[in-house]
Amino acid sequence: MPQSYLSSRQITVVLWGLMAVCGLGTLVRAQDQTILGDLTLESGSPQLIFSDTDEPYFWEIFADSTSFDVFDDSIGTNPLRIKSGAPNYSLYVEGDGRIGFGTDAPDANSRLDVRSSALNGLLLKRADASAHYLRVENSAGVFRSGVQGNGDAQFGALGSTKGLNLLAGGTSKMTINSAGQVSFGNPPPAVPVTDAMNTSTGAHLTTGGVWTNNSSRAAKQDIEPITCEQARDTVRSLRPVGYRYKSEPDERYVGFIAEDVPELVATRDRKGLAPMDIVAVLTRVVQDQDRQLDEQRALNKALLERLIKLEQKLAE
């Protein structure tokens, strides 16, 4: 409050007296109502005081070149201040109760409409470190977002049977149900009780921690076998290495470098590898070697039988 401001206990402005002395407006007394015409208060710091004579309480309206204020002088608070120079419709209340900040046309489907070019269109701030939330609810459930007491963000549905549904492009793309099962897709598929995560691609993570790729024939085209020669050449060209990830220098791994693998198991961008590709060529090589071993065992058996017969003849 400016230093030139005098409280209601120092200056008593009685509306009837003001009207009588200044001759401003038109004053008509009708029962307990005072009807005024135009009223102008002119001074260096004009103020209007409302005094409750039944229970002493004072409200003051004060204005100067810096702001327009409403004071609750009985308890010493300033619940409303409008700074001079405030833009059009900084606060707007529509006839049906819709409120606009920065607009005189609040959205018809919103109770509160905030229009702003500021970085934070809406800021909810708490001075201490206790939890602070925005809560939205209806009779069926509650959504809450905000900051926990320890500073972690919180976002989601409250209630032991309620889940979270995330939209992108106007439709649902991800769901988390009340059991913690996650589903991705367009739309997200239902998650069976045996899975922890499911995707619209058919790939899923079981509750036991096993990632399963989609490998259905229905999802594939241009299916053709790889030859033994392709598989052997690929395996011979693989160069297993040990390494550490730059982001994880304390853990050592073994594997392959995506840029160095043969074409048969390379990805299009050569930045990653599909483990099933490596498994496929290794399987083909093992199958070919197993076939050769069977042929070798059959040949050895035949040679052994011939040797036994020769030894029998020599013995005779």
Side-chain angles (χ1 to χ4, degrees), residues 155-208:
F155 180 90
L158 301 183
S160 59
T161 63
K162 305 304 178 183
L164 179 66
N165 186 16
L166 299 182
L167 280 68
T171 60
S172 176
K173 297 299 189 296
M174 175 182 173
T175 62
I176 305 174
N177 64 23
S178 60
Q181 295 171 296
V182 182
S183 180
F184 298 91
N186 188 22
V191 185
V193 295
T194 55
D195 287 349
M197 181 185 297
N198 204 351
T199 74
S200 59
T201 65
H204 59 96
L205 177 68
T206 70
T207 55

Side-chain angles (χ1 to χ4, degrees), residues 5-299:
Y5 173 74
L6 298 178
S7 74
S8 62
R9 292 170 179 78
Q10 296 170 304
I11 298 179
T12 302
V13 179
V14 181
L15 191 57
W16 286 92
L18 179 66
M19 300 299 297
V21 173
C22 299
L24 299 175
T26 301
L27 183 63
V28 179
R29 184 74 175 180
Q31 295 180 352
D32 291 331
Q33 293 182 334
T34 299
I35 302 175
L36 301 177
D38 294 337
L39 175 64
T40 302
L41 303 180
E42 293 185 356
S43 75
S45 54
Q47 51 200 332
L48 183 62
I49 302 174
F50 297 86
S51 174
D52 184 345
T53 58
D54 294 331
E55 297 181 8
Y57 211 97
F58 300 92
W59 286 92
E60 304 180 17
I61 298 176
F62 171 86
D64 63 11
S65 60
T66 63
S67 65
F68 174 90
D69 295 85
V70 175
F71 294 100
D72 185 348
D73 196 51
S74 292
I75 61 175
T77 60
N78 183 184
L80 175 63
R81 167 166 288 184
I82 302 175
K83 295 290 291 184
S84 60
N88 284 337
Y89 309 116
S90 295
L91 171 63
Y92 180 92
V93 182
E94 187 56 86
D96 59 4
R98 287 177 288 124
I99 299 173
F101 289 101
T103 177
D104 62 341
D107 179 68
N109 296 312
S110 303
R111 190 66 174 175
L112 178 65
D113 185 345
V114 179
R115 310 289 178 92
S116 173
S117 60
L119 179 62
N120 297 315
L122 178 64
L123 174 64
L124 305 178
K125 189 173 183 179
R126 180 168 181 155
D128 60 24
S130 297
H132 199 44
Y133 299 112
L134 170 67
R135 182 182 176 108
V136 181
E137 65 180 276
N138 63 14
S139 60
V142 178
F143 167 82
R144 186 168 77 182
S145 67
V147 181
Q148 298 176 174
N150 63 1
D152 291 340
Q154 186 181 88
F155 180 90
L158 301 183
S160 59
T161 63
K162 305 304 178 183
L164 179 66
N165 186 16
L166 299 182
L167 280 68
T171 60
S172 176
K173 297 299 189 296
M174 175 182 173
T175 62
I176 305 174
N177 64 23
S178 60
Q181 295 171 296
V182 182
S183 180
F184 298 91
N186 188 22
V191 185
V193 295
T194 55
D195 287 349
M197 181 185 297
N198 204 351
T199 74
S200 59
T201 65
H204 59 96
L205 177 68
T206 70
T207 55
V210 178
W211 180 259
T212 304
N213 294 324
N214 177 15
S215 194
S216 171
R217 180 181 295 274
K220 300 176 180 180
Q221 63 183 24
D222 301 330
I223 301 172
E224 58 184 22
I226 59 175
T227 66
C228 297
E229 290 76 14
Q230 286 177 309
R232 284 197 300 268
D233 290 344
T234 299
V235 170
R236 288 172 182 144
S237 299
L238 288 173
R239 296 200 297 253
V241 295
Y243 55 88
R244 302 180 192 274
Y245 284 104
K246 294 178 180 179
S247 60
E248 194 181 5
D250 296 332
E251 189 71 38
R252 187 167 181 79
Y253 297 90
V254 294
F256 307 97
I257 304 302
E259 291 87 347
D260 299 338
V261 298
E263 186 66 28
L264 187 63
V265 294
T267 56
R268 184 167 49 194
D269 62 0
R270 282 190 170 273
K271 296 297 182 182
L273 292 173
M276 191 57 67
D277 291 351
I278 308 296
V279 171
V281 296
L282 290 174
T283 299
R284 191 69 182 94
V285 169
V286 170
Q287 288 174 337
D288 186 46
Q289 289 179 342
D290 185 56
R291 178 186 58 78
Q292 293 177 1
L293 287 174
D294 283 343
E295 292 175 352
Q296 190 65 46
R297 280 192 290 266
L299 178 60

